[in-house]
Amino acid sequence: MAVVWLVLAVVFVPSGVITRLLEWTGIPLAGGEVFVTVYIPMLFATACVIWLGYFWAAIPAYLSTAIVALVGGVPLGWTFLFAFANPLGLGVFFMAYRAVPVRTDLRSASSLAFFTLTAFAASLVGSAGSFVWGYTNNVGLNDLFPVWQGWWLGGFLQTMLFNAPLFALLGPRVEDWKARNGLGRELQDALSSTRLRLAFGVIIGALFGYVILVRNFSLARLDAAMETLSAQDPVFLEKISEAFEGLSLVHWVTLLLIGATGVFGYHTMMHWTRVLRESRDALSEANVKLLDEIEWRLQAEVELEEKARQLKEANDTKDRFFSIISHDLRSPLAAVQTLATALRNDFDSYQREAIREFIAHMVTASSNLADLMDNLLSWARLQTGVLEHRPERVNVHDTARRLVAVLGPGAEEKGVALEVEVEQDVVAWADPNMLSSITLNLLSNGLKFTSDGGRVRLSASRSNGRVHVAVSDTGVGMAPEDIERLFRIDTAFSTPGTNRERGSGLGLILSQDMVGRHGSRLKVESTLGEGTTFRFDLPAEEEPAEVHT
């Protein structure tokens, strides 16, 4: 941005000389009743003060005015003073837009009205330099008026006819570009009270100084003229003195008006600035409270949704629990009752083999009932916190061998090989009862879904500070959609085994819960028609349990 500004400054700063060379100062309009001056550098400087900041505009404005003064024959000392005229006018723009937060795109009636009033005031303040120009160029009062009016009226007209449409057309794009690049912050912050007083003091002081200097210089020149005319025409000299005294009164009235206007303008601006700041602070506070309220409501909504989810899950769990009790618990009891009733009523009519078969069915039903009751009780104790997780050092090899001894007869009767691949020194940090229950459920599940001639294998190994356990079978396998339903208490998912064995599906849910207490998750790999593998891991040493996903 600095490079672009520098290039434009190099182009516009010398362009002020055109006003001097082409005599665009005090151009008469409307038959000589109105005078305007065309001064190109102020087009660039006005855009800079609105979009960039004061010094971006004041520096090229000062240099341009100084060049024009030097070309016009103004002495060097007076040039330094004269060159401050246009920067003073630009200061009105800067101070006004710093004190009052008004939009600069002029796309509303209020912003356009504010810009118009500010441009008028800025042009008048800047035109005070015409008095220095008139004095240093020996311009009389009659010839000074076109210079003064042309200065402020020309400046005001070119600001309204060129800069105002430019701000309306390009203002939003420039503001967006500034926001993206972090530019123009100087105009975004409100002007402090101290700096606002200083700015008013400088402008009003400058106006006072200009008027008083011109008055004193005019008096000095009048005294010199009076010495020349005193002996020639005393009457004419007296009239000139009276006229100048009247003009002097106008000067003092002008000074009073400038002072009163400055004081009134300062207090008015300070009042509205204070009102706007209070409104802004109140709005910011309201926004903060609103954001807090929105955040609180969103958090409450999230918590409410979580409570609703938990309530639905609890309700589904309750329904599933009663379904298990009413169906899965009732079925083996009904089978035992039916067989027992048949034996009681017609015992003598049955052959010995038939009675043995009845008894075998009753044993199987009773065994299934006992397993189901054990799982139900364990699950209920886990949910209520009665069954605590009490880990200790457990030899996984010894646990596996003990469970295989329990399940071995059933596996042999079904024709399924039950294998263990665990080194004798594999030790885990686990709750021994939970580990036995998890492993027993997984092995029983593998036996249930593996046909004659198949294999169920329990393996365990240690790596990276954890013991990795796997139970695999060569059974019927599962479809992907069935795997997703295995560990949900709200879905009644259970299929008969290869020998039509029935179950509730609660064993796997219970196992998943118990594995979670050891900081792990029960993972399933299954291929339909090929078999299933369940995997989980346990801490190898004492450590805080964390859920692994």
Side-chain angles (χ1 to χ4, degrees), residues 127-426:
S127 68
S130 62
F131 296 105
V132 175
W133 177 271
Y135 173 76
T136 56
N137 285 275
N138 297 315
V139 176
L141 293 178
N142 291 333
D143 294 331
L144 180 60
F145 178 78
V147 177
W148 171 74
Q149 187 185 67
W151 191 316
W152 73 260
L153 183 58
F156 174 69
L157 289 177
Q158 74 178 22
T159 300
M160 296 305 300
L161 295 177
F162 178 83
N163 290 109
L166 183 67
F167 294 144
L169 181 64
L170 300 180
R173 296 181 181 178
V174 173
E175 294 299 332
D176 290 342
W177 176 78
K178 286 165 52 183
R180 289 194 305 269
N181 292 275
L183 302 174
R185 299 185 185 278
E186 172 183 13
L187 285 174
Q188 294 176 6
D189 301 328
L191 197 64
S192 65
S193 299
T194 302
R195 296 175 68 183
L196 191 60
R197 292 190 189 98
L198 178 62
F200 261 104
V202 170
I203 293 175
I204 299 302
L207 289 175
F208 270 96
Y210 270 122
V211 175
I212 290 174
L213 281 174
V214 170
R215 179 179 181 279
N216 290 337
F217 295 150
S218 299
L219 283 173
R221 295 172 66 181
L222 180 62
D223 290 341
M226 289 175 65
E227 291 178 0
T228 303
L229 296 174
S230 59
Q232 300 178 8
D233 194 345
V235 177
F236 178 69
L237 183 61
E238 182 179 354
K239 291 182 179 180
I240 290 178
S241 298
E242 292 176 355
F244 192 82
E245 287 298 327
L247 182 62
S248 179
L249 179 63
V250 173
H251 283 168
W252 288 115
V253 171
T254 302
L255 288 175
L256 289 175
L257 287 176
I258 291 173
T261 302
V263 172
F264 173 77
Y266 168 76
H267 285 288
T268 301
M269 186 171 294
M270 289 300 297
H271 167 73
W272 286 111
T273 300
R274 184 174 61 256
V275 170
L276 288 171
R277 286 175 178 170
E278 290 174 354
S279 300
R280 181 194 62 189
D281 294 341
L283 181 60
S284 298
E285 184 178 353
N287 285 336
V288 171
K289 291 181 178 179
L290 180 60
L291 289 174
D292 291 341
E293 178 71 14
I294 292 174
E295 184 178 356
W296 178 83
R297 289 183 178 274
L298 289 175
Q299 182 64 29
E301 185 177 347
V302 170
E303 292 178 358
L304 185 61
E305 290 177 353
E306 178 63 19
K307 294 293 184 183
R309 186 194 65 78
Q310 293 176 358
L311 182 61
K312 181 180 182 303
E313 183 177 318
N315 192 57
D316 291 341
T317 300
K318 178 202 68 176
D319 293 342
R320 176 62 177 147
F321 183 76
F322 284 119
S323 173
I324 291 172
I325 293 177
S326 62
H327 181 268
D328 296 325
L329 193 60
R330 182 181 179 184
S331 295
L333 282 174
V336 172
Q337 183 180 21
T338 300
L339 292 172
T341 301
L343 287 174
R344 183 192 64 184
N345 294 337
D346 300 310
F347 184 82
D348 295 333
S349 63
Y350 287 109
Q351 297 283 335
R352 189 178 184 87
E353 288 299 324
I355 294 174
R356 183 178 288 112
E357 186 176 346
F358 275 10
I359 294 174
H361 284 309
M362 292 172 65
V363 170
T364 300
S366 301
S367 179
N368 290 338
L369 180 59
D371 291 341
L372 178 58
M373 288 297 296
D374 286 341
N375 283 334
L376 280 173
L377 289 173
S378 298
W379 179 78
R381 291 171 67 192
L382 276 173
Q383 300 304 309
T384 56
V386 175
L387 183 60
E388 297 181 0
H389 175 234
R390 296 180 178 178
E392 59 184 61
R393 289 174 59 84
V394 179
N395 188 294
V396 180
H397 176 271
D398 293 346
T399 301
R401 286 298 179 187
R402 185 175 65 254
L403 295 176
V404 168
V406 173
L407 297 175
E412 185 177 351
E413 182 180 350
K414 194 173 181 180
V416 177
L418 193 55
E419 302 175 354
V420 174
E421 292 185 359
V422 184
E423 296 293 334
Q424 292 186 357
D425 60 348
V426 176

